[in-house]
Amino acid sequence: GILGLTVVILALAVIWLFAPWKKPTTKFWILYLYPYAVFLISIVWVVWAYGGLKELGLNWWNVLWLLPMLTPIFSTGNRRWIDGENQP
């Protein structure tokens, strides 16, 4: 339980630290890497905490369900926060 709470606190810290308005000139795909890393850490933690892939009834094909979550990297990845501002 404490390890799960640590992962949640880490996720909140990463979201707060790498918010796009705090780094307006950084491309979104770079900012996405940190929350996605914590997300993958949480998946590994859940699989470990529940006894592995076989115990959960999962196999490697279930990884394909994660691909739709990666679409923001491809659709908005090269944009920056500052790109939305009106330039004189």
Side-chain angles (χ1 to χ4, degrees):
I2 292 174
L3 189 56
L5 185 60
T6 304
V7 171
V8 169
I9 291 170
L10 178 65
L12 292 173
V14 164
I15 291 169
W16 185 74
L17 288 172
F18 294 101
W21 52 88
K22 291 186 177 190
K23 300 176 183 307
T25 59
T26 306
K27 292 188 178 193
F28 284 153
W29 74 267
I30 294 171
L31 297 175
Y32 290 153
L33 293 178
Y34 303 103
Y36 278 128
V38 174
F39 176 65
L40 292 176
I41 289 170
S42 69
I43 291 173
V44 169
W45 174 75
V46 165
V47 169
W48 172 78
Y50 284 95
L53 293 173
K54 293 197 189 253
E55 189 69 29
L56 289 171
L58 300 174
N59 59 34
W60 289 106
W61 285 103
N62 296 113
V63 175
L64 293 176
W65 288 103
L66 298 176
L67 291 178
M69 287 189 245
L70 298 176
T71 56
I73 290 177
F74 303 110
S75 62
T76 62
N78 284 328
R79 295 197 50 147
R80 300 173 302 162
W81 185 262
I82 201 166
D83 292 343
E85 296 180 5
N86 291 332
Q87 309 253 334

Coordinates of all heavy atoms in Angstrom, one line a residue:
G1 N 0.8 -1.2 0.0 CA 0.0 0.0 0.0 C 0.8 1.3 0.0 O 0.5 2.2 -0.7
I2 N 1.9 1.2 0.8 CA 2.8 2.4 0.8 C 3.5 2.6 -0.5 O 3.6 3.8 -0.9 CB 3.8 2.2 2.0 CG1 3.1 2.3 3.3 CG2 4.9 3.3 1.9 CD1 4.0 2.0 4.5
L3 N 3.9 1.6 -1.2 CA 4.5 1.7 -2.5 C 3.5 2.3 -3.5 O 3.8 3.2 -4.3 CB 5.0 0.4 -3.0 CG 5.9 0.4 -4.2 CD1 7.1 1.3 -4.1 CD2 6.3 -1.0 -4.6
G4 N 2.2 1.9 -3.4 CA 1.2 2.5 -4.3 C 1.0 3.9 -4.0 O 0.8 4.7 -4.9
L5 N 0.9 4.3 -2.7 CA 0.8 5.7 -2.4 C 2.0 6.5 -2.9 O 1.8 7.7 -3.3 CB 0.6 5.8 -0.9 CG 0.4 7.2 -0.3 CD1 -0.9 7.8 -0.9 CD2 0.3 7.2 1.2
T6 N 3.2 5.9 -2.8 CA 4.4 6.6 -3.3 C 4.3 6.9 -4.8 O 4.6 7.9 -5.3 CB 5.6 5.8 -3.0 OG1 5.7 5.5 -1.6 CG2 6.9 6.5 -3.5
V7 N 3.7 5.9 -5.6 CA 3.6 6.1 -7.0 C 2.6 7.2 -7.3 O 2.8 8.0 -8.2 CB 3.1 4.7 -7.7 CG1 2.7 4.9 -9.1 CG2 4.2 3.7 -7.6
V8 N 1.5 7.3 -6.5 CA 0.5 8.3 -6.7 C 1.1 9.7 -6.4 O 0.9 10.6 -7.2 CB -0.7 8.1 -5.8 CG1 -1.6 9.3 -5.8 CG2 -1.5 6.9 -6.3
I9 N 1.9 9.8 -5.3 CA 2.5 11.1 -5.0 C 3.5 11.4 -6.1 O 3.6 12.6 -6.5 CB 3.2 11.0 -3.6 CG1 2.1 10.9 -2.5 CG2 4.1 12.2 -3.4 CD1 2.6 10.6 -1.2
L10 N 4.3 10.4 -6.6 CA 5.2 10.7 -7.7 C 4.5 11.2 -8.9 O 4.9 12.1 -9.6 CB 6.0 9.4 -8.0 CG 7.0 9.5 -9.1 CD1 8.1 10.5 -8.8 CD2 7.5 8.1 -9.4
A11 N 3.3 10.6 -9.2 CA 2.6 11.0 -10.4 C 2.1 12.5 -10.2 O 2.2 13.3 -11.2 CB 1.4 10.1 -10.6
L12 N 1.6 12.8 -9.1 CA 1.1 14.2 -8.9 C 2.3 15.2 -9.0 O 2.1 16.3 -9.5 CB 0.5 14.3 -7.5 CG -0.9 13.6 -7.4 CD1 -1.4 13.6 -5.9 CD2 -1.9 14.1 -8.3
A13 N 3.4 14.8 -8.4 CA 4.6 15.7 -8.5 C 5.1 15.9 -9.9 O 5.4 17.0 -10.4 CB 5.7 15.1 -7.6
V14 N 5.1 14.8 -10.7 CA 5.5 14.9 -12.1 C 4.5 15.8 -12.9 O 5.0 16.6 -13.7 CB 5.6 13.5 -12.7 CG1 5.7 13.5 -14.2 CG2 6.9 12.8 -12.2
I15 N 3.3 15.6 -12.7 CA 2.3 16.4 -13.4 C 2.4 17.9 -13.0 O 2.4 18.7 -13.9 CB 0.8 15.9 -13.1 CG1 0.6 14.5 -13.7 CG2 -0.2 16.9 -13.6 CD1 -0.6 13.8 -13.3
W16 N 2.7 18.2 -11.8 CA 2.8 19.5 -11.4 C 4.1 20.1 -11.9 O 4.2 21.3 -12.3 CB 2.8 19.6 -9.8 CG 2.8 21.0 -9.3 CD1 1.8 21.9 -9.3 CD2 3.9 21.7 -8.7 NE1 2.2 23.1 -8.8 CE2 3.5 23.0 -8.4 CE3 5.2 21.3 -8.4 CZ2 4.4 23.9 -7.8 CZ3 6.0 22.2 -7.8 CH2 5.6 23.4 -7.5
L17 N 5.2 19.4 -11.8 CA 6.5 19.9 -12.2 C 6.6 20.1 -13.7 O 7.3 21.0 -14.2 CB 7.6 19.0 -11.8 CG 7.9 19.0 -10.3 CD1 8.9 17.9 -9.9 CD2 8.5 20.3 -9.9
F18 N 6.0 19.3 -14.5 CA 6.2 19.3 -16.0 C 4.9 19.8 -16.7 O 4.6 19.4 -17.8 CB 6.6 18.0 -16.5 CG 8.0 17.6 -16.0 CD1 8.1 16.7 -15.0 CD2 9.1 18.1 -16.6 CE1 9.4 16.3 -14.5 CE2 10.3 17.8 -16.1 CZ 10.5 16.9 -15.1
A19 N 4.2 20.7 -16.0 CA 3.0 21.3 -16.6 C 3.4 22.2 -17.8 O 4.4 22.8 -17.7 CB 2.2 22.1 -15.6
P20 N 2.7 22.1 -18.9 CA 3.2 22.8 -20.1 C 3.3 24.4 -19.9 O 4.1 25.0 -20.5 CB 2.2 22.5 -21.2 CG 1.2 21.6 -20.6 CD 1.5 21.3 -19.2
W21 N 2.4 25.0 -19.1 CA 2.5 26.4 -18.9 C 3.7 26.8 -18.1 O 4.1 28.0 -18.0 CB 1.2 26.9 -18.3 CG 0.8 26.2 -17.0 CD1 1.2 26.5 -15.8 CD2 0.0 25.1 -17.0 NE1 0.6 25.6 -14.9 CE2 -0.1 24.7 -15.6 CE3 -0.8 24.4 -17.9 CZ2 -0.9 23.7 -15.2 CZ3 -1.5 23.3 -17.5 CH2 -1.6 23.0 -16.1
K22 N 4.4 25.8 -17.4 CA 5.6 26.2 -16.7 C 6.8 26.1 -17.6 O 7.8 26.6 -17.2 CB 5.8 25.2 -15.5 CG 4.8 25.4 -14.4 CD 5.1 24.5 -13.2 CE 4.1 24.8 -12.1 NZ 4.5 24.1 -10.9
K23 N 6.7 25.4 -18.7 CA 7.8 25.3 -19.6 C 7.2 25.5 -21.0 O 7.0 24.6 -21.8 CB 8.4 23.9 -19.6 CG 9.0 23.5 -18.2 CD 9.4 22.1 -18.2 CE 10.0 21.7 -16.8 NZ 10.9 22.5 -16.2
P24 N 6.9 26.8 -21.3 CA 6.1 27.1 -22.5 C 6.9 26.9 -23.8 O 6.3 26.8 -24.9 CB 5.7 28.6 -22.4 CG 6.7 29.1 -21.4 CD 7.1 28.0 -20.5
T25 N 8.2 26.8 -23.8 CA 8.9 26.6 -25.0 C 9.3 25.2 -25.3 O 9.9 24.9 -26.3 CB 10.2 27.5 -25.0 OG1 11.0 27.2 -23.9 CG2 9.9 29.0 -25.0
T26 N 9.0 24.3 -24.4 CA 9.4 22.9 -24.5 C 8.3 22.2 -25.3 O 7.1 22.4 -25.1 CB 9.5 22.2 -23.2 OG1 10.4 22.9 -22.4 CG2 10.0 20.8 -23.3
K27 N 8.7 21.3 -26.3 CA 7.7 20.6 -27.1 C 6.9 19.6 -26.2 O 7.5 19.0 -25.2 CB 8.4 19.8 -28.2 CG 8.9 20.8 -29.2 CD 9.4 20.0 -30.4 CE 9.9 21.1 -31.4 NZ 10.2 20.5 -32.7
F28 N 5.6 19.4 -26.5 CA 4.8 18.6 -25.7 C 5.3 17.1 -25.6 O 5.1 16.5 -24.5 CB 3.3 18.6 -26.2 CG 2.6 19.8 -25.9 CD1 1.6 20.2 -26.8 CD2 2.9 20.6 -24.8 CE1 0.8 21.4 -26.5 CE2 2.1 21.7 -24.6 CZ 1.1 22.1 -25.4
W29 N 5.8 16.6 -26.6 CA 6.2 15.2 -26.6 C 7.3 15.0 -25.5 O 7.3 13.9 -24.9 CB 6.7 14.7 -27.9 CG 8.0 15.1 -28.4 CD1 8.3 16.2 -29.2 CD2 9.3 14.5 -28.1 NE1 9.6 16.3 -29.4 CE2 10.3 15.2 -28.8 CE3 9.7 13.4 -27.4 CZ2 11.6 14.9 -28.7 CZ3 11.0 13.1 -27.3 CH2 12.0 13.8 -28.0
I30 N 8.1 16.0 -25.3 CA 9.1 15.8 -24.2 C 8.4 15.9 -22.8 O 8.8 15.1 -21.9 CB 10.2 16.9 -24.3 CG1 11.0 16.7 -25.6 CG2 11.1 17.0 -23.1 CD1 11.9 17.9 -25.9
L31 N 7.5 16.8 -22.7 CA 6.7 16.8 -21.4 C 5.9 15.6 -21.2 O 5.6 15.2 -20.0 CB 5.8 18.1 -21.4 CG 6.6 19.4 -21.5 CD1 5.6 20.6 -21.6 CD2 7.5 19.6 -20.3
Y32 N 5.4 14.9 -22.2 CA 4.6 13.7 -22.1 C 5.4 12.6 -21.5 O 4.9 11.6 -20.9 CB 4.0 13.3 -23.4 CG 2.9 14.2 -24.0 CD1 2.7 14.2 -25.3 CD2 2.1 14.9 -23.2 CE1 1.7 15.0 -25.9 CE2 1.1 15.7 -23.7 CZ 0.9 15.7 -25.0 OH 0.0 16.5 -25.6
L33 N 6.7 12.6 -21.8 CA 7.6 11.4 -21.4 C 7.5 11.1 -19.9 O 7.5 10.0 -19.5 CB 9.0 11.6 -21.8 CG 9.3 11.7 -23.3 CD1 10.7 11.9 -23.6 CD2 8.8 10.3 -24.0
Y34 N 7.5 12.2 -19.1 CA 7.5 12.0 -17.6 C 6.2 11.4 -17.1 O 6.3 10.4 -16.3 CB 7.9 13.3 -17.0 CG 9.2 13.9 -17.5 CD1 9.2 14.9 -18.4 CD2 10.4 13.3 -17.1 CE1 10.4 15.4 -18.9 CE2 11.6 13.8 -17.6 CZ 11.6 14.8 -18.5 OH 12.8 15.3 -19.0
P35 N 5.1 11.9 -17.4 CA 3.9 11.3 -16.9 C 3.7 9.9 -17.4 O 3.2 9.0 -16.7 CB 2.7 12.2 -17.4 CG 3.3 13.5 -17.6 CD 4.7 13.2 -18.0
Y36 N 4.1 9.6 -18.7 CA 4.0 8.3 -19.3 C 4.9 7.3 -18.6 O 4.6 6.2 -18.4 CB 4.2 8.3 -20.8 CG 3.1 8.7 -21.6 CD1 3.2 9.7 -22.6 CD2 1.8 8.1 -21.5 CE1 2.1 10.0 -23.4 CE2 0.8 8.4 -22.2 CZ 0.9 9.4 -23.2 OH -0.2 9.7 -24.0
A37 N 6.1 7.8 -18.2 CA 7.0 7.0 -17.4 C 6.4 6.5 -16.1 O 6.5 5.4 -15.7 CB 8.3 7.7 -17.2
V38 N 5.8 7.5 -15.4 CA 5.1 7.2 -14.1 C 4.0 6.2 -14.3 O 3.7 5.3 -13.5 CB 4.7 8.4 -13.4 CG1 3.9 8.1 -12.1 CG2 5.9 9.3 -13.0
F39 N 3.2 6.4 -15.4 CA 2.1 5.5 -15.7 C 2.6 4.1 -16.0 O 2.0 3.1 -15.4 CB 1.4 6.1 -17.0 CG 0.3 5.2 -17.5 CD1 -0.8 5.0 -16.7 CD2 0.4 4.6 -18.7 CE1 -1.8 4.2 -17.2 CE2 -0.6 3.7 -19.2 CZ -1.7 3.5 -18.4
L40 N 3.7 4.0 -16.7 CA 4.3 2.6 -16.9 C 4.8 2.0 -15.6 O 4.7 0.8 -15.4 CB 5.4 2.7 -18.0 CG 4.9 3.0 -19.4 CD1 6.0 3.1 -20.3 CD2 3.9 1.9 -19.8
I41 N 5.4 2.8 -14.8 CA 5.8 2.4 -13.4 C 4.6 1.8 -12.6 O 4.7 0.8 -12.0 CB 6.6 3.5 -12.7 CG1 7.9 3.7 -13.3 CG2 6.7 3.1 -11.2 CD1 8.6 5.0 -12.8
S42 N 3.5 2.6 -12.7 CA 2.3 2.1 -12.0 C 1.8 0.8 -12.5 O 1.3 0.0 -11.8 CB 1.3 3.2 -12.0 OG 0.7 3.4 -13.3
I43 N 1.9 0.6 -13.8 CA 1.4 -0.7 -14.4 C 2.3 -1.8 -13.9 O 1.8 -2.9 -13.5 CB 1.4 -0.6 -16.0 CG1 0.3 0.3 -16.4 CG2 1.2 -2.0 -16.6 CD1 0.3 0.6 -17.9
V44 N 3.6 -1.6 -13.9 CA 4.5 -2.6 -13.5 C 4.3 -2.9 -12.0 O 4.3 -4.1 -11.6 CB 6.0 -2.2 -13.7 CG1 7.0 -3.1 -13.0 CG2 6.3 -2.1 -15.2
W45 N 4.0 -1.9 -11.2 CA 3.7 -2.1 -9.8 C 2.5 -2.9 -9.6 O 2.4 -3.8 -8.8 CB 3.6 -0.7 -9.1 CG 3.2 -0.9 -7.7 CD1 3.9 -1.3 -6.6 CD2 1.8 -0.7 -7.1 NE1 3.2 -1.4 -5.5 CE2 1.9 -1.0 -5.8 CE3 0.6 -0.3 -7.7 CZ2 0.8 -0.9 -5.0 CZ3 -0.5 -0.2 -6.9 CH2 -0.4 -0.5 -5.5
V46 N 1.4 -2.6 -10.3 CA 0.1 -3.4 -10.2 C 0.3 -4.8 -10.6 O -0.1 -5.7 -9.9 CB -1.0 -2.7 -11.0 CG1 -2.2 -3.6 -11.2 CG2 -1.4 -1.4 -10.4
V47 N 1.0 -5.1 -11.7 CA 1.3 -6.4 -12.1 C 2.1 -7.2 -11.0 O 1.8 -8.3 -10.7 CB 2.0 -6.5 -13.5 CG1 2.5 -7.9 -13.8 CG2 1.1 -6.0 -14.6
W48 N 3.1 -6.5 -10.5 CA 3.9 -7.1 -9.4 C 3.1 -7.4 -8.2 O 3.2 -8.4 -7.6 CB 5.1 -6.2 -9.1 CG 5.9 -6.7 -7.9 CD1 6.8 -7.7 -7.9 CD2 5.8 -6.1 -6.6 NE1 7.3 -7.8 -6.6 CE2 6.7 -6.9 -5.8 CE3 5.1 -5.1 -6.1 CZ2 6.9 -6.6 -4.5 CZ3 5.3 -4.8 -4.7 CH2 6.2 -5.6 -3.9
A49 N 2.3 -6.4 -7.8 CA 1.5 -6.5 -6.5 C 0.5 -7.6 -6.6 O 0.1 -8.2 -5.6 CB 0.8 -5.1 -6.2
Y50 N -0.1 -7.9 -7.8 CA -1.1 -8.9 -7.9 C -0.6 -10.2 -8.3 O -1.3 -11.1 -8.7 CB -2.2 -8.4 -8.8 CG -3.1 -7.4 -8.2 CD1 -2.9 -6.0 -8.3 CD2 -4.2 -7.8 -7.4 CE1 -3.7 -5.1 -7.7 CE2 -5.0 -6.9 -6.8 CZ -4.7 -5.6 -6.9 OH -5.6 -4.6 -6.3
G51 N 0.8 -10.4 -8.4 CA 1.3 -11.7 -8.6 C 1.8 -12.0 -10.0 O 2.0 -13.2 -10.3
G52 N 1.8 -11.1 -10.9 CA 2.3 -11.4 -12.2 C 1.2 -11.4 -13.3 O 0.0 -11.3 -13.0
L53 N 1.6 -11.5 -14.5 CA 0.7 -11.5 -15.6 C -0.2 -12.7 -15.6 O -1.4 -12.6 -15.9 CB 1.5 -11.4 -17.0 CG 2.3 -10.2 -17.2 CD1 3.1 -10.3 -18.5 CD2 1.3 -9.0 -17.4
K54 N 0.3 -13.9 -15.3 CA -0.6 -15.1 -15.4 C -1.6 -15.0 -14.3 O -2.7 -15.5 -14.5 CB 0.3 -16.3 -15.2 CG 1.2 -16.5 -16.4 CD 1.7 -17.9 -16.5 CE 2.8 -17.9 -17.5 NZ 2.4 -18.6 -18.7
E55 N -1.3 -14.5 -13.1 CA -2.2 -14.4 -12.0 C -3.4 -13.5 -12.4 O -4.5 -13.7 -12.0 CB -1.5 -13.9 -10.8 CG -2.4 -14.0 -9.5 CD -2.6 -15.4 -9.1 OE1 -1.8 -16.3 -9.3 OE2 -3.7 -15.6 -8.5
L56 N -3.1 -12.4 -13.1 CA -4.1 -11.4 -13.5 C -4.8 -11.9 -14.8 O -5.8 -11.3 -15.2 CB -3.5 -10.1 -13.8 CG -3.0 -9.3 -12.6 CD1 -2.2 -8.1 -13.0 CD2 -4.1 -8.9 -11.7
G57 N -4.4 -13.0 -15.4 CA -5.0 -13.4 -16.6 C -4.6 -12.6 -17.8 O -5.4 -12.5 -18.8
L58 N -3.5 -12.0 -17.8 CA -3.0 -11.1 -18.9 C -1.9 -11.8 -19.7 O -1.3 -12.7 -19.2 CB -2.5 -9.8 -18.4 CG -3.4 -9.0 -17.6 CD1 -2.7 -7.8 -17.0 CD2 -4.6 -8.5 -18.4
N59 N -1.8 -11.4 -20.9 CA -0.6 -11.8 -21.8 C -0.1 -10.6 -22.5 O -0.5 -9.5 -22.3 CB -1.1 -12.9 -22.8 CG -2.2 -12.5 -23.7 OD1 -2.2 -11.3 -24.1 ND2 -3.0 -13.4 -24.0
W60 N 1.0 -10.8 -23.3 CA 1.6 -9.7 -23.9 C 0.8 -9.0 -24.9 O 1.0 -7.8 -25.3 CB 3.0 -10.1 -24.5 CG 3.9 -10.4 -23.4 CD1 4.4 -11.7 -23.0 CD2 4.6 -9.5 -22.6 NE1 5.2 -11.6 -22.0 CE2 5.4 -10.2 -21.7 CE3 4.5 -8.1 -22.5 CZ2 6.2 -9.6 -20.7 CZ3 5.3 -7.5 -21.5 CH2 6.1 -8.3 -20.6
W61 N -0.3 -9.6 -25.4 CA -1.2 -9.0 -26.4 C -2.0 -7.9 -25.7 O -2.5 -7.0 -26.4 CB -2.1 -10.0 -27.0 CG -1.4 -10.8 -28.0 CD1 -1.0 -12.1 -27.9 CD2 -1.0 -10.4 -29.3 NE1 -0.4 -12.6 -29.0 CE2 -0.4 -11.5 -29.9 CE3 -1.2 -9.3 -30.1 CZ2 0.1 -11.5 -31.2 CZ3 -0.7 -9.3 -31.4 CH2 0.0 -10.3 -31.9
N62 N -2.1 -7.9 -24.4 CA -2.9 -6.9 -23.7 C -2.1 -5.5 -23.7 O -2.7 -4.5 -23.5 CB -3.1 -7.3 -22.3 CG -4.0 -8.5 -22.2 OD1 -3.6 -9.5 -21.8 ND2 -5.3 -8.3 -22.6
V63 N -0.9 -5.6 -24.1 CA -0.1 -4.3 -24.2 C -0.7 -3.4 -25.3 O -0.6 -2.2 -25.3 CB 1.4 -4.6 -24.4 CG1 2.2 -3.4 -24.7 CG2 2.0 -5.4 -23.2
L64 N -1.3 -4.1 -26.3 CA -1.9 -3.3 -27.5 C -3.0 -2.4 -27.0 O -3.2 -1.4 -27.7 CB -2.4 -4.3 -28.5 CG -1.4 -5.1 -29.2 CD1 -2.1 -6.1 -30.2 CD2 -0.4 -4.2 -30.0
W65 N -3.6 -2.6 -25.8 CA -4.6 -1.7 -25.3 C -4.0 -0.4 -24.9 O -4.7 0.6 -24.7 CB -5.3 -2.4 -24.1 CG -6.3 -3.5 -24.6 CD1 -6.0 -4.8 -24.5 CD2 -7.5 -3.3 -25.2 NE1 -7.1 -5.5 -25.0 CE2 -8.0 -4.6 -25.4 CE3 -8.3 -2.2 -25.5 CZ2 -9.3 -4.8 -26.0 CZ3 -9.5 -2.4 -26.1 CH2 -10.0 -3.7 -26.3
L66 N -2.7 -0.4 -24.7 CA -2.0 0.9 -24.3 C -1.7 1.8 -25.4 O -1.5 3.0 -25.2 CB -0.7 0.5 -23.5 CG -0.8 -0.3 -22.3 CD1 0.5 -0.6 -21.7 CD2 -1.7 0.5 -21.2
L67 N -1.7 1.3 -26.6 CA -1.4 2.1 -27.8 C -2.3 3.3 -28.0 O -1.8 4.4 -28.4 CB -1.3 1.2 -29.1 CG -0.2 0.2 -29.1 CD1 -0.2 -0.6 -30.4 CD2 1.2 0.9 -29.0
P68 N -3.6 3.2 -27.8 CA -4.4 4.4 -28.0 C -4.1 5.5 -27.0 O -4.3 6.7 -27.3 CB -5.9 3.9 -27.8 CG -5.8 2.4 -28.1 CD -4.4 2.0 -27.7
M69 N -3.5 5.1 -25.9 CA -3.2 6.2 -24.9 C -1.9 7.0 -25.4 O -1.6 8.0 -24.8 CB -2.9 5.6 -23.6 CG -4.1 5.1 -22.9 SD -3.8 4.7 -21.2 CE -4.2 3.0 -21.3
L70 N -1.2 6.5 -26.4 CA 0.0 7.2 -26.9 C -0.4 8.2 -28.0 O 0.5 8.9 -28.5 CB 1.0 6.2 -27.4 CG 1.5 5.2 -26.3 CD1 2.4 4.2 -27.0 CD2 2.2 5.9 -25.2
T71 N -1.6 8.2 -28.4 CA -2.0 9.1 -29.5 C -1.7 10.6 -29.3 O -1.4 11.3 -30.2 CB -3.4 8.9 -29.9 OG1 -4.3 9.1 -28.8 CG2 -3.7 7.6 -30.5
P72 N -1.7 11.1 -28.0 CA -1.4 12.5 -27.8 C 0.0 12.8 -28.2 O 0.3 14.0 -28.7 CB -1.6 12.8 -26.3 CG -2.6 11.8 -25.9 CD -2.3 10.6 -26.8
I73 N 0.9 11.9 -28.1 CA 2.3 12.1 -28.5 C 2.4 12.4 -30.0 O 3.1 13.3 -30.4 CB 3.2 10.9 -28.1 CG1 3.4 10.9 -26.6 CG2 4.6 11.0 -28.8 CD1 4.2 9.7 -26.1
F74 N 1.6 11.7 -30.8 CA 1.7 11.8 -32.2 C 0.8 13.0 -32.7 O 1.1 13.6 -33.8 CB 1.3 10.5 -32.9 CG 2.1 9.4 -32.5 CD1 1.6 8.4 -31.7 CD2 3.4 9.3 -32.9 CE1 2.4 7.3 -31.3 CE2 4.3 8.3 -32.5 CZ 3.7 7.3 -31.7
S75 N -0.3 13.3 -32.0 CA -1.2 14.3 -32.5 C -0.8 15.8 -32.1 O -1.0 16.7 -32.9 CB -2.6 14.1 -32.1 OG -2.7 14.1 -30.7
T76 N -0.2 15.9 -30.9 CA 0.2 17.2 -30.5 C 1.7 17.3 -30.0 O 2.1 18.3 -29.5 CB -0.7 17.7 -29.2 OG1 -0.4 16.7 -28.2 CG2 -2.1 17.8 -29.6
G77 N 2.4 16.3 -30.3 CA 3.8 16.2 -29.9 C 4.7 17.3 -30.2 O 5.6 17.7 -29.4
N78 N 4.6 17.8 -31.4 CA 5.6 18.9 -31.9 C 5.1 20.3 -31.5 O 5.9 21.2 -31.7 CB 5.8 18.8 -33.4 CG 6.8 17.7 -33.7 OD1 7.6 17.3 -32.9 ND2 6.5 17.1 -34.8
R79 N 4.0 20.4 -30.9 CA 3.5 21.8 -30.5 C 4.1 22.2 -29.2 O 4.6 21.3 -28.5 CB 2.0 21.7 -30.4 CG 1.3 21.5 -31.7 CD -0.1 21.9 -31.6 NE -0.2 23.2 -31.0 CZ -1.1 24.1 -31.3 NH1 -2.0 23.8 -32.2 NH2 -1.1 25.3 -30.7
R80 N 4.1 23.4 -28.9 CA 4.5 24.0 -27.6 C 3.4 24.8 -27.1 O 2.5 25.3 -27.8 CB 5.8 24.8 -27.9 CG 6.9 24.1 -28.5 CD 8.1 25.0 -28.8 NE 7.6 26.0 -29.8 CZ 8.2 27.1 -30.0 NH1 9.3 27.4 -29.4 NH2 7.7 28.0 -30.9
W81 N 3.5 25.1 -25.8 CA 2.5 25.9 -25.1 C 2.4 27.3 -25.7 O 1.4 27.9 -25.9 CB 2.7 25.9 -23.6 CG 1.7 26.6 -22.8 CD1 1.7 27.9 -22.4 CD2 0.5 26.1 -22.4 NE1 0.6 28.2 -21.7 CE2 -0.2 27.1 -21.7 CE3 -0.2 24.9 -22.5 CZ2 -1.5 26.9 -21.2 CZ3 -1.4 24.7 -22.0 CH2 -2.0 25.7 -21.3
I82 N 3.6 27.8 -26.0 CA 3.7 29.2 -26.5 C 3.1 29.3 -27.9 O 2.8 30.4 -28.4 CB 5.2 29.7 -26.5 CG1 5.2 31.2 -26.5 CG2 6.0 29.1 -27.6 CD1 6.6 31.7 -26.1
D83 N 3.0 28.2 -28.6 CA 2.4 28.3 -30.0 C 1.0 28.8 -30.0 O 0.5 29.3 -31.0 CB 2.5 26.9 -30.7 CG 3.9 26.5 -30.9 OD1 4.8 27.3 -30.9 OD2 4.1 25.2 -31.1
G84 N 0.2 28.6 -29.0 CA -1.2 29.0 -28.9 C -1.4 30.5 -28.6 O -2.5 31.0 -28.7
E85 N -0.3 31.2 -28.3 CA -0.4 32.6 -28.0 C -0.4 33.5 -29.2 O 0.2 33.1 -30.2 CB 0.7 33.1 -27.1 CG 0.7 32.4 -25.7 CD 1.8 32.8 -24.8 OE1 2.6 33.7 -25.2 OE2 1.9 32.3 -23.7
N86 N -1.1 34.6 -29.2 CA -1.1 35.5 -30.3 C 0.3 36.3 -30.4 O 0.7 36.9 -29.4 CB -2.2 36.5 -30.2 CG -3.6 35.9 -30.4 OD1 -3.6 34.9 -31.1 ND2 -4.6 36.4 -29.8
Q87 N 0.9 36.2 -31.5 CA 2.2 36.9 -31.7 C 1.9 38.2 -32.4 O 1.2 38.2 -33.4 CB 3.1 36.0 -32.5 CG 3.2 34.6 -31.9 CD 4.5 34.3 -31.2 OE1 5.5 34.9 -31.5 NE2 4.5 33.4 -30.3
P88 N 2.5 39.3 -31.9 CA 2.3 40.6 -32.6 C 3.1 40.7 -33.9 O 4.0 40.0 -34.2 CB 2.9 41.6 -31.6 CG 3.7 40.9 -30.7 CD 3.3 39.5 -30.7

